[in-house]
Amino acid sequence: MSKVLVTGGCGYIGSHTIVDLINNGFEVISIDNFSRSNPLILDGIKAITGKVVSNYNIDLCDLEATKKVFEDHTDIEGIIHFAAYKMVGESVEKPLLYYHNNLVSLTNLLQLIEEFRVQNLVFSSSCSVYGNATELPVTENTLTQKAESPYAHTKQMGEAIIENFAKCYPLKYMLLRYFNPAGAHESAQIGELPIDRPQNLVPYITKTATGELEQLSIFGNDYPTKDGTCIRDYIHVMDIGGAHTAALKRMQQDPDGDWANIYNLGAGVGRSVLEAVQTFEQVNNLQLNWTYADRRPGDVIAVYADNQKAVNDLNWQLNYSFEDIMKSAYQWELTLADKVLV
Ligand code: UFG
């Protein structure tokens, strides 16, 4: 069984990936300081997998504390680096917080990768690196544009830092660019836990459905799209998790193989905001309180992925539908209403 270090293991995508890794026979250790997550997620992982994941409650910006993890585990074969701040709006208001947190943690990690001779790294990137994409669907060869936010810029810089580092250290790495992850594990034991008021569409929908939020605003209905609302590529978070397991397996089994370093992780289908709302209502058999509102500044009109490269190279299968996303997200929200957050 090979050992994987997951940073941000209690976060949304990190926790779902840990479940998939464990189900595929990996041993997992996690680093998460709960700055944007909650320890109850560790209970959820245990309930699903029967395994207690050992989590180090430390800040990756603290090099010495992070080094301790590598000293305790000299047999780490791969690292999946999720830990980062990810709120676009917050990054615009507090750019230095984002540059410091997202980049110092990464350079610390790379320093330790070199010192402890770790071979494999998967980096959590984002479709935001494409900026206002010049073509649809977006392929990995679509040129990246100027970042629209400091958050997106940290992802562009993170990718570049890893690429440059790998020129002087024999690191196998993959940069996975996520489109719009949504949904929750089907057990409803883990899911998305937004801090404060959610900004993203699906948690906003689920909290409106439970009555925690009064009304959903659909931002803009005059875009040049099929129904006037924006188009995005929603992908089930367990499918995103599965891609990380597939990426690690590919790197381990075929270290010098003919695989690329950059992959788009999307479902490959563009869905409108209105379609998301209607599908949610339909699969959960309820009426959502929603209204049209002004466009949200900074939103791109449409973005969706060409995911063929990831499907083919990583031998990655997508197992969940758009309907599964909407159903599981709501089940998680209902479960969450009964949980006491610490
Ligand atoms: N939307 C609404 N109402 C809401 C929330 C969102 O209509 O209350 C709309 C947005 O206007 C957008 C769509 O739903 O058209 C999706 O919005 P999200 O905020 O869920 O997702 P984004 O596509 O804006 O952002 C995502 C990730 C970011 C990433 C970005 C890259 O959440 O981390 O993609 O484009 F940077």
Side-chain angles (χ1 to χ4, degrees):
M1 192 194 298
S2 77
K3 190 179 280 184
V4 182
L5 168 64
V6 175
T7 73
C10 301
Y12 177 42
I13 305 177
S15 58
H16 288 81
T17 300
I18 287 180
V19 167
D20 195 74
L21 288 168
I22 292 174
N23 288 343
N24 280 276
F26 287 91
E27 182 186 347
V28 179
I29 52 168
S30 161
I31 296 178
D32 197 309
N33 67 351
F34 306 120
S35 63
R36 301 284 161 115
S37 63
N38 196 291
L40 79 80
I41 292 296
L42 290 169
D43 300 336
I45 293 173
K46 183 175 171 225
I48 297 167
T49 63
K51 295 255 161 54
V52 176
V53 170
S54 140
N55 179 67
Y56 286 80
N57 180 351
I58 56 169
D59 183 350
L60 287 161
C61 292
D62 181 341
L63 180 64
E64 283 314 306
T66 310
K67 186 172 178 176
K68 174 88 175 49
V69 181
F70 286 77
E71 286 166 350
D72 286 355
H73 300 275
T74 51
D75 53 349
I76 293 170
E77 289 193 11
I79 298 178
I80 306 183
H81 180 44
F82 292 106
Y85 292 161
K86 61 164 191 178
M87 289 164 73
V88 175
E90 183 186 49
S91 81
V92 174
E93 283 162 22
K94 299 175 184 168
L96 295 185
L97 178 73
Y98 272 67
Y99 286 115
H100 177 80
N101 184 69
N102 292 2
L103 298 179
V104 173
S105 54
L106 174 63
T107 54
N108 279 351
L109 204 59
L110 293 175
Q111 202 173 315
L112 294 167
I113 281 175
E114 183 168 29
E115 190 174 336
F116 289 85
R117 314 308 291 172
V118 178
Q119 301 297 313
N120 302 299
L121 174 69
V122 179
F123 178 65
S124 175
S125 190
S126 160
C127 71
S128 62
V129 300
Y130 294 112
N132 273 302
T134 48
E135 58 186 3
L136 288 174
V138 175
T139 76
E140 291 80 355
N141 293 329
T142 302
L143 290 180
T144 59
Q145 305 290 321
K146 189 174 179 310
E148 293 289 312
S149 67
Y151 158 75
H153 198 202
T154 67
K155 291 299 175 187
Q156 289 182 341
M157 291 171 81
E159 289 190 357
I161 289 167
I162 293 167
E163 282 167 347
N164 288 330
F165 173 73
K167 290 190 179 129
C168 55
Y169 172 83
L171 181 73
K172 307 289 174 196
Y173 68 93
M174 288 191 192
L175 313 172
L176 304 185
R177 294 174 173 170
Y178 315 147
F179 282 67
N180 288 59
H185 189 267
E186 60 209 358
S187 66
Q189 298 282 352
I190 56 173
E192 190 166 9
L193 265 180
I195 55 159
D196 303 331
R197 200 179 177 85
Q199 310 287 319
N200 296 122
L201 180 64
V202 176
Y204 212 104
I205 288 177
T206 57
K207 287 189 188 300
T208 307
T210 59
E212 187 178 329
L213 296 173
E214 200 182 323
Q215 188 177 51
L216 170 80
S217 294
I218 293 185
F219 299 135
N221 63 345
D222 56 353
Y223 286 102
T225 60
K226 54 188 169 188
D227 57 25
T229 67
C230 289
I231 305 286
R232 295 289 183 276
D233 184 340
Y234 299 92
I235 173 163
H236 198 289
V237 66
M238 283 304 296
D239 280 333
I240 294 258
H244 290 75
T245 308
L248 265 188
K249 280 186 180 166
R250 185 76 213 262
M251 284 193 285
Q252 284 182 315
Q253 288 161 3
D254 194 10
D256 299 310
D258 185 22
W259 42 266
N261 294 114
I262 298 178
Y263 291 100
N264 282 343
L265 299 187
V269 184
R271 310 274 190 174
S272 75
V273 179
L274 188 60
E275 237 178 302
V277 169
Q278 288 170 341
T279 305
F280 182 85
E281 289 182 328
Q282 193 192 327
V283 299
N284 294 304
N285 196 22
L286 50 75
Q287 290 280 309
L288 207 61
N289 183 18
W290 67 268
T291 184
Y292 285 122
D294 290 346
R295 291 181 177 197
R296 183 171 72 175
D299 270 341
V300 298
I301 301 168
V303 62
Y304 54 94
D306 178 330
N307 63 11
Q308 278 314 297
K309 206 165 136 186
V311 168
N312 296 333
D313 279 18
L314 306 181
N315 197 19
W316 174 46
Q317 280 180 334
L318 287 102
N319 295 317
Y320 298 89
S321 66
F322 191 50
E323 287 75 14
D324 294 333
I325 289 175
M326 296 304 173
K327 231 185 267 179
S328 61
Y330 188 46
Q331 286 309 310
W332 163 246
E333 193 67 59
L334 292 173
T335 311
L336 198 53
D338 296 331
K339 286 191 194 294
V340 181
L341 300 184
V342 286

